[in-house]
Amino acid sequence: MTGFDRDAVGLKIGVFLFVMFFLLGSGLWVGLALMGVAYMGMIGFTPRNPGSSMSITVWTSSSSWTLTSLPLFIWMGEILYRTRLSEDMFKGLAPWLSRFPGGLLHSNVVGCTVFAAVSGSSAATLTTVGKMSIPELRKRGYPEFMIVGTLAGAATLGLMIPPSLTLIVYGVTVQQSITGLFMAGVIPGIVLATMFMAYIAIWSVVRKDQAPEPEPHTTFAEKLRASTLLIPVIALILVVIGSMYLGIATATEAAAFGVIGALVLAGLQGSLDWEAFRQSLMGATRTSAMIALILMGASFLTLAMGFTGVPRALAGVIAAWELSPVALIAALTVFYIIIGMFLDGISAVVLTMAIIEPMIRAAGIDLIWFGIFIVVVVEMAQITPPVGFNLFVLQGMTRHDMSYIAKTALPMFLIMVLMVGVLVAFPGLATWLPDMVQAKQ
């Protein structure tokens, strides 16, 4: 089983794949499972020393300067989550949204969109907005299935709207500009949020009997007064995204600005005590360490995958099918929906890129555009059972059965499938803004 023996390639690939699925299904940490699989692959397919190969690969992947932005963006989201800034954001949005068809249900979508622009994490977005909106919407008599469903879907916007942790991981994996990917996510993120809001509006018209009484009328002056609560969060968004858009800062520098801005705003507001600061720091450390371990394991697995010949063989099979780029995207959509049922988004991206990237390059598909496509299909994975992460978070918050939450999220899942079609039909949604920014620079 050791070294490269042409007569045993089929057996070794079988053992390799068995070990991979066994470890991933056993509940072992994803990063350690990937390293274990890669170690087996190195033993079976190359005479190179697996230990030294692992140490070199792990160090190279984890010492990337681009990755510095990841823990900073996570920390910024943790600070906002643990202070009163997020609560003020909801209070500032509610008066403006109450008169829309569907009423305050839109606060789930708009709240998630705004918080996603300063968080980058789907879980942080869902938890923060959910803690504020669920009690308020229940109190006002909105149907439970709409409260839970719209929140489950809208929280996935944290993966697309910059700063996005998934886009950072994707950019590092395929060596694409993080700033370019962030810019590419802005317009598709807004389009997807608009589609979610359109669904809420259509529901309120079709099912008028389920919609609660309209909110009491508020004067324009009252709305403006409430809007002052939005100023700190909007200022932070402008600093983070604006500095990258104008070419003033790289993604890493913008993340540092974001952390400093969040700390200053929370301090001025008086909602940042020592315990909140400590919890935000520990929360960011835990999440960053988890993602870093997955990336280390994935980089070592990418090396081992190259020696097995599986990516080349798979790319060869798909090339032999002579799929058009559109047919390839359709096949990959189904592929990612299936693996997304069993893996979290970041694991799905890093685990598959070694195989998928050569195919995408060969098909002539733009890697920046493909990054946005990946985020949309990974968003679907957040709300598909049995391992839909957003479903777990919502179950903890609402105490509903997993099957009930998954059913409420189904319309949002179908909207994301439609969004893939929109991206294929109008690729400029993802590529126009980064191209324009690059041309300015």
Side-chain angles (χ1 to χ4, degrees):
M1 286 296 292
T2 57
F4 185 77
D5 178 0
R6 290 187 183 280
D7 297 331
V9 170
L11 171 64
K12 289 178 182 179
I13 288 176
V15 171
F16 179 80
L17 294 175
F18 171 78
V19 171
M20 181 169 71
F21 288 117
F22 174 77
L23 289 179
L24 288 172
S26 66
L28 186 67
W29 288 357
V30 173
L32 294 180
L34 298 182
M35 285 187 188
V37 174
Y39 200 91
M40 289 291 294
M42 293 296 289
I43 290 173
F45 289 94
T46 174
R48 287 175 61 172
N49 184 318
S52 64
S53 298
M54 181 171 73
S55 59
I56 292 166
T57 308
V58 163
W59 171 254
T60 304
S61 66
S62 59
S63 60
S64 164
W65 172 249
T66 314
L67 273 177
T68 315
S69 62
L70 189 67
L72 290 170
F73 279 128
I74 294 170
W75 191 18
M76 181 176 67
E78 289 279 345
I79 294 164
L80 295 173
Y81 166 51
R82 286 178 165 79
T83 58
R84 213 173 64 238
L85 286 166
S86 51
E87 186 184 334
D88 286 352
M89 180 188 76
F90 184 83
K91 288 177 181 173
L93 288 172
W96 294 101
L97 300 171
S98 59
R99 309 308 294 179
F100 278 53
L104 286 179
L105 280 173
H106 290 291
S107 64
N108 273 348
V109 179
V110 179
C112 286
T113 305
V114 174
F115 194 80
V118 284
S119 165
S121 163
S122 174
T125 301
L126 174 57
T127 310
T128 305
V129 177
K131 278 182 177 176
M132 296 179 288
S133 70
I134 291 174
E136 292 294 328
L137 293 173
R138 280 175 173 169
K139 196 163 58 181
R140 287 166 168 80
Y142 286 91
E144 186 74 5
F145 75 93
M146 284 299 289
I147 297 172
V148 176
T150 54
L151 188 58
T156 63
L157 291 165
L159 298 179
M160 180 183 289
I161 293 176
S164 160
L165 306 186
T166 307
L167 283 177
I168 294 173
V169 171
Y170 172 80
V172 170
T173 308
V174 301
Q175 298 180 336
Q176 289 293 307
S177 160
I178 304 296
T179 304
L181 285 164
F182 280 179
M183 292 301 103
V186 173
I187 296 175
I190 293 169
V191 170
L192 185 56
T194 305
M195 290 166 75
F196 288 155
M197 292 180 75
Y199 160 67
I200 293 170
I202 292 167
W203 164 82
S204 72
V205 172
V206 174
R207 306 300 298 267
K208 283 183 181 174
D209 54 315
Q210 294 182 353
E213 290 297 313
E215 291 290 305
H217 181 72
T218 52
T219 65
F220 187 69
E222 287 172 330
K223 288 178 181 176
L224 285 179
R225 206 175 305 121
S227 297
T228 57
L229 296 170
L230 291 172
I231 292 172
V233 176
I234 291 172
L236 194 58
I237 293 169
L238 291 175
V239 166
V240 173
I241 299 177
S243 61
M244 288 187 288
Y245 178 83
L246 297 172
I248 298 168
T250 63
T252 305
E253 290 161 349
F257 291 156
V259 169
I260 294 167
L263 287 170
V264 168
L265 289 173
L268 291 173
Q269 195 187 46
S271 59
L272 182 69
D273 56 19
W274 171 249
E275 184 57 25
F277 178 81
R278 190 188 68 80
Q279 285 182 358
S280 72
L281 199 53
M282 289 306 297
T285 303
R286 278 193 292 270
T287 307
S288 302
M290 176 196 73
I291 295 173
L293 185 61
I294 292 172
L295 280 172
M296 290 175 191
S299 64
F300 188 33
L301 182 62
T302 300
L303 178 69
M305 276 282 194
F307 285 111
T308 65
V310 171
R312 285 191 300 278
L314 191 57
V317 168
I318 292 178
W321 291 349
E322 295 183 350
L323 295 175
S324 67
V326 173
L328 178 60
I329 290 298
L332 289 176
T333 302
V334 175
F335 170 71
Y336 275 108
I337 289 172
I338 293 169
I339 66 165
M341 292 180 180
F342 305 99
L343 288 174
D344 67 275
I346 288 172
S347 302
V349 170
V350 294
L351 187 60
T352 57
M353 272 304 109
I355 299 172
I356 302 297
E357 186 189 353
M359 289 192 246
I360 295 305
R361 289 186 187 274
I365 295 170
D366 185 279
L367 283 173
I368 295 284
W369 180 91
F370 190 72
I372 304 307
F373 161 79
I374 281 282
V375 168
V376 175
V377 289
V378 164
E379 281 178 344
M380 297 180 201
Q382 298 283 306
I383 55 174
T384 49
V387 191
F389 193 69
N390 282 13
L391 304 183
F392 290 140
V393 176
L394 270 172
Q395 187 180 37
M397 291 171 71
T398 63
R399 305 296 175 197
H400 288 303
D401 290 337
M402 185 67 78
S403 57
Y404 174 82
I405 299 172
K407 263 187 253 175
T408 66
L410 181 60
M412 309 301 267
F413 173 84
L414 296 175
I415 290 170
M416 290 181 209
V417 175
L418 179 61
M419 182 65 195
V420 171
V422 171
L423 275 174
V424 171
F426 305 101
L429 287 174
T431 56
W432 175 76
L433 192 55
D435 287 348
M436 194 177 76
V437 171
Q438 193 173 23
K440 279 187 178 179
Q441 292 174 352

